[in-house]
Amino acid sequence: MSKTFRLIPALGAIFFASLALSACGGGIPSNAVVQVGGNPISKTTFEHWLSVAASSSATATPGKTAPKPVVPDPPNFTNCIAHLEATAPKPAKGQAAPTSAQLKSQCQQQYQSLQQEVLGFLISSEWVIGEGSNLGVKVSDAEVKKEFEKIKSQQFPKPAEFEKFLATSGQTVSDLLLRVKLNMLSSKIQQKIAKGKGTVTQAEIEKYYKENMQRFGTPEKRNVAIILTKTEAAANAAKKEIQSGKSFASVAKGVSIDPTSKAKGGLLTGVVKGQEEAALNAAIFSAKLNVLSGPVKTPFGYYIYEVKSTTPGNQQTLAQAQASIKQQLTATQQQAALAKFVKEFKKTWTNKTECRTGYVVMDCKSYKAPKTPAGIPGTGTAVPQTRTPPQTTTVPAQTTTAPTTTK
């Protein structure tokens, strides 16, 4: 895997929806595509990150360098169509090459997919910065630079590797510093919302323990040999064979109609209360060790059985379980607080997000969900994390990557 900068998903969920382009209100500066809380996102900024997204979506043939990306160019997509014509593999024998109309449609889909990813990233970035300001959550330039240098040294030990990454990703150091800042802000916002939201009382701990005692104990287990027959007479006959000296296993293999236990000489291991049919269960857990018993009538037939061994159960006391219960309840309360915050955060900032016609995504105030599921799948906002353009080009390094744009 190549060294990359990856995204921290601070609060978890990513919401998926279909893209819909619609008209939206005025008040947006002429050089901007979106305005969030009065802060415009310029077309120049949008086009820069669109280029980054296109770079990350370019794929290379194994053993070859990825081709130079071409950003789809609406409305005619002239450059994009020419690029596809130049790079497309030759059609198989007997198949026609794609038409210009088909290539244009492909370019349109690529553009819309890249557009929604980029706008989602830029909008949610403004949301995080704005929410941080509202909450008094700050990240200093020194903190950002320190974290950036840490990640850089870990992922790019050699300066040449880092320079190559910048060249291929289309990003600048300033872009990466912004990503570091956004992720640090996101993390600090999460910590502030969760702080103090996990006050668990002793009464709550005791209530949880009483309602979930089985989670804090291990039930008694019994190993039991069984033989199942269709009739009571057959069960008694099998019992007499064992009493006359034949082994339980040989009789089980000869006459039992239970295929699972029959193959093992009638042995069932690790049986716990409630696992078997009610009548058999009651008989097994009231039986003495090594005493051949039965027949017991059940809906499946007649059982004879012999308990071979037992493993006693155990139960943690409230005192023993208290720490883990408190930890679990605290985490649950914090998650609930974060979930509530996410919902309110998204609603608040969506209402502050104005989008120009042709740049409307689901985070915009004027967005209207399509009436049919038709459209290109898009990504909503996971708050307050920042959504990124395609490819794993954010920070810090973790196993989770940014969404990938489908071509």
Side-chain angles (χ1 to χ4, degrees):
M1 180 182 293
S2 62
K3 297 180 178 68
T4 54
F5 282 78
R6 296 185 177 91
L7 173 69
I8 290 183
L11 293 185
I14 294 179
F15 303 92
F16 292 93
S18 296
L19 177 66
L21 301 180
S22 59
C24 49
I28 303 173
S30 59
N31 66 338
V33 295
V34 175
Q35 185 166 258
V36 180
N39 295 321
I41 297 173
S42 71
K43 188 173 182 181
T44 301
T45 298
F46 167 74
E47 289 176 345
H48 165 69
W49 285 104
L50 194 68
S51 177
V52 171
S55 295
S56 68
S57 66
T59 56
T61 303
K64 296 183 179 180
T65 303
K68 185 177 180 181
V70 172
V71 179
D73 47 328
N76 296 323
F77 298 100
T78 305
N79 293 334
C80 179
I81 292 171
H83 174 72
L84 291 179
E85 288 176 336
T87 58
K90 291 183 178 180
K93 188 176 181 179
Q95 292 186 347
T99 65
S100 293
Q102 289 173 327
L103 294 177
K104 182 177 181 180
S105 177
Q106 184 177 341
C107 289
Q108 289 173 325
Q109 291 178 356
Q110 289 179 1
Y111 177 76
Q112 289 179 345
S113 183
L114 292 173
Q115 182 196 57
Q116 65 182 337
E117 293 285 353
V118 171
L119 289 174
F121 166 67
L122 294 175
I123 290 170
S124 59
S125 296
E126 289 292 333
W127 289 8
V128 170
I129 292 171
E131 189 67 22
S133 177
N134 291 347
L135 295 175
V137 175
K138 299 178 181 179
V139 179
S140 69
D141 291 344
E143 288 178 296
V144 172
K145 186 174 181 180
K146 181 179 179 181
E147 181 67 14
F148 171 75
E149 292 297 338
K150 175 184 173 184
I151 298 164
K152 179 182 172 184
S153 64
Q154 289 174 343
Q155 299 192 20
F156 304 97
K158 297 179 181 179
E161 294 177 339
F162 181 64
E163 293 303 321
K164 182 179 179 181
F165 169 76
L166 292 179
T168 56
S169 70
Q171 296 180 93
T172 66
V173 171
S174 295
D175 294 335
L176 300 178
L177 288 170
L178 172 63
R179 289 176 180 264
V180 174
K181 179 178 180 179
L182 291 169
N183 282 285
M184 292 179 74
L185 270 175
S186 178
S187 180
K188 284 192 173 185
I189 290 171
Q190 178 182 358
Q191 292 168 12
K192 180 160 186 173
I193 298 303
K195 187 177 181 180
K197 295 296 192 296
T199 304
V200 180
T201 66
Q202 185 61 30
E204 288 173 325
I205 293 174
E206 292 176 3
K207 181 175 182 292
Y208 186 88
Y209 177 78
K210 290 177 181 178
E211 293 176 350
N212 300 275
M213 288 187 68
Q214 71 280 3
R215 297 188 182 184
F216 304 98
T218 303
E220 177 190 357
K221 295 180 181 180
R222 294 195 166 195
N223 294 335
V224 59
I226 64 166
I227 293 175
L228 174 63
T229 62
K230 289 184 178 180
T231 65
E232 185 175 10
N236 282 320
K239 186 175 182 181
K240 286 180 180 180
E241 285 191 71
I242 296 170
Q243 289 171 334
S244 69
K246 287 187 178 182
S247 69
F248 196 106
S250 65
V251 176
K253 289 180 180 179
V255 303
S256 182
I257 61 173
D258 178 61
T260 303
S261 62
K262 179 178 182 177
K264 300 177 181 178
L267 187 63
L268 295 176
T269 58
V271 178
V272 298
K273 282 186 177 181
Q275 180 178 325
E276 301 300 327
E277 192 279 329
L280 181 60
N281 177 77
I284 289 174
F285 283 91
S286 62
K288 295 181 180 180
L289 281 175
N290 301 311
V291 176
L292 182 62
S293 304
V296 174
K297 184 180 179 181
T298 74
F300 308 107
Y302 292 81
Y303 285 94
I304 60 171
Y305 59 92
E306 185 176 333
V307 177
K308 298 294 187 181
S309 63
T310 65
T311 302
N314 65 73
Q315 180 69 43
Q316 282 185 308
T317 64
L318 173 61
Q320 291 171 325
Q322 180 152 324
S324 63
I325 294 174
K326 184 175 182 179
Q327 184 179 32
Q328 181 174 339
L329 293 179
T330 298
T332 300
Q333 290 182 6
Q334 289 176 341
Q335 288 168 4
L338 289 170
K340 180 181 179 182
F341 169 75
V342 166
K343 184 177 180 180
E344 294 172 351
F345 172 94
K346 182 173 176 64
K347 180 179 179 181
T348 297
W349 284 98
T350 297
N351 288 332
K352 294 181 179 182
T353 303
E354 299 179 88
C355 302
R356 186 173 297 284
T357 302
Y359 297 89
V360 178
V361 292
M362 66 177 297
D363 297 329
C364 303
K365 180 170 63 175
S366 57
Y367 172 80
K368 296 184 184 300
K371 294 181 180 180
T372 67
I376 301 171
T379 316
T381 301
V383 189
Q385 86 176 36
T386 55
R387 190 173 46 248
T388 63
Q391 200 209 11
T392 54
T393 52
T394 49
V395 293
Q398 284 196 349
T399 56
T400 303
T401 61
T404 303
T405 299
T406 52
K407 280 191 163 187

